[in-house]
Amino acid sequence: MGEFKSLEKRLKNKGYKLTAPRRFLLGLLENNPGKSYSAQEIFDLLKGKGVDFSTIYRNLEMMAKEGILSAVQRENGTSSYELCLNHHHHHLICTDCGATRCINVCPMDLIDKSIWEGFTPKKHRFEIMGLCPECSKKNT
Amino acid sequence: MGEFKSLEKRLKNKGYKLTAPRRFLLGLLENNPGKSYSAQEIFDLLKGKGVDFSTIYRNLEMMAKEGILSAVQRENGTSSYELCLNHHHHHLICTDCGATRCINVCPMDLIDKSIWEGFTPKKHRFEIMGLCPECSKKNT
DNA sequence: AATATAAATGCAAGTATTTGCAATTACAAA
DNA sequence: TTTGTAATTGCAAATACTTGCATTTATATT
């Protein structure tokens, strides 16, 4: 709740308007911490609110760019998004049920700086696909 | 050349037919080691050979699954592919000119095993986006 | 509270990706 | 070599993703 309010504030501080679609979107993510959704999934969940797909799509991209959401690439290449309340982190992604779990290790902190050889790193992507504890048991 | 022959053999050994589109595809990648191409780029380069886009698309996916090609996700989400002659590796990707360079460090070797907590890792993705040495200079 | 105005939305069109299927082709077996 | 058969292809249709633009809406200003 407090967190939710502050997310709306963050949007406004960055100069964005606080519209109904954006409230729905943040509300959904806020009420499901740790879950990540694709644009299509959010569209389905918000059916009845009359929000257009493209609006969801554009807002997810915008919020990811602004650092309000973090984007996770699923195995099939589609992007999913979740609230990014904390600091920089990566994800374990269950290929069976889709659950994600944050991990705090970042390979950029671990690798040897000598590999760059003139390359200037800006961003990176690191995701681990596999089976979550529950699905690991199921699939034995 | 020798390598090329063996790639065709690997396809046959796995039970795939050696068709004209597949020869074109492997030939192109073989002649441009270290370069990675999207399906669309290969389609454009093979214009005149009369190969359908969907054929290229499906073969790239197939060869990636078979470990003949390695798939690299570009920043915008589209997949590009390159010959995967060596062992497991990751990439530096220039966001300006698109060049890729292989690196041999793998985060999976570096991270602490205690993070799994019941999760069973199967695959992972690790890519570093930034500017290659040339583009680093250009953009100063 | 009314108004001006720039941002955001919904719609529809555009592009890109993926799939189903009938026709074709590689290749194993005769 | 010819033939049979399943894999593969090209085409076209179906999805999925992205964008342009006229209309609407949030909000700063009066």
Side-chain angles (χ1 to χ4, degrees), chain B residues 114-132:
Chain B
S114 67
I115 67 165
W116 304 133
E117 296 177 3
F119 187 92
T120 310
K122 298 282 190 189
K123 310 171 57 177
H124 61 282
R125 184 152 49 201
F126 179 45
E127 284 135 26
I128 303 173
M129 278 75 75
L131 296 175
C132 70

Side-chain angles (χ1 to χ4, degrees), chain B residues 12 17-18 53-54 57-58 78:
Chain B
K12 297 203 73 171
K17 292 181 180 175
L18 199 41
F53 181 84
S54 67
Y57 174 84
R58 280 186 279 222
T78 65

Side-chain angles (χ1 to χ4, degrees), chain B residues 82-130:
Chain B
E82 63 184 60
L83 275 186
C84 183
L85 300 172
N86 328 316
H87 47 301
H88 177 72
H89 63 270
H90 295 282
H91 294 93
L92 306 181
I93 307 172
C94 181
T95 51
D96 208 49
C97 72
T100 62
R101 196 174 81 223
C102 302
I103 54 175
N104 288 317
V105 267
C106 175
M108 299 301 275
D109 300 331
L110 301 175
I111 59 182
D112 194 283
K113 277 31 177 188
S114 67
I115 67 165
W116 304 133
E117 296 177 3
F119 187 92
T120 310
K122 298 282 190 189
K123 310 171 57 177
H124 61 282
R125 184 152 49 201
F126 179 45
E127 284 135 26
I128 303 173
M129 278 75 75

Side-chain angles (χ1 to χ4, degrees), chain A residues 90-104:
Chain A
H90 295 283
H91 293 94
L92 307 180
I93 307 172
C94 180
T95 52
D96 209 49
C97 71
T100 63
R101 197 175 80 222
C102 301
I103 55 175
N104 288 317

Side-chain angles (χ1 to χ4, degrees), chain A residues 91-132:
Chain A
H91 293 94
L92 307 180
I93 307 172
C94 180
T95 52
D96 209 49
C97 71
T100 63
R101 197 175 80 222
C102 301
I103 55 175
N104 288 317
V105 267
C106 174
M108 300 300 276
D109 299 331
L110 301 174
I111 60 181
D112 193 284
K113 275 33 177 188
S114 67
I115 66 165
W116 304 133
E117 295 176 5
F119 186 92
T120 311
K122 298 280 190 190
K123 308 170 58 176
H124 60 282
R125 186 149 50 199
F126 178 46
E127 284 135 26
I128 304 173
M129 278 73 76
L131 296 176
C132 70

Side-chain angles (χ1 to χ4, degrees), chain A residues 27-70:
Chain A
L28 174 62
L29 295 169
E30 176 82 3
N31 289 327
N32 297 278
K35 282 205 177 181
S36 68
Y37 300 96
S38 67
Q40 186 61 55
E41 288 162 353
I42 292 179
F43 179 68
D44 294 339
L45 288 168
L46 294 185
K47 278 267 172 63
K49 306 270 185 181
V51 182
D52 192 70
F53 180 83
S54 67
T55 299
I56 293 169
Y57 173 83
R58 282 187 277 220
N59 274 302
L60 288 173
E61 283 209 323
M62 177 274 278
M63 292 184 194
K65 201 178 59 190
E66 294 294 355
I68 293 167
L69 303 181
S70 67

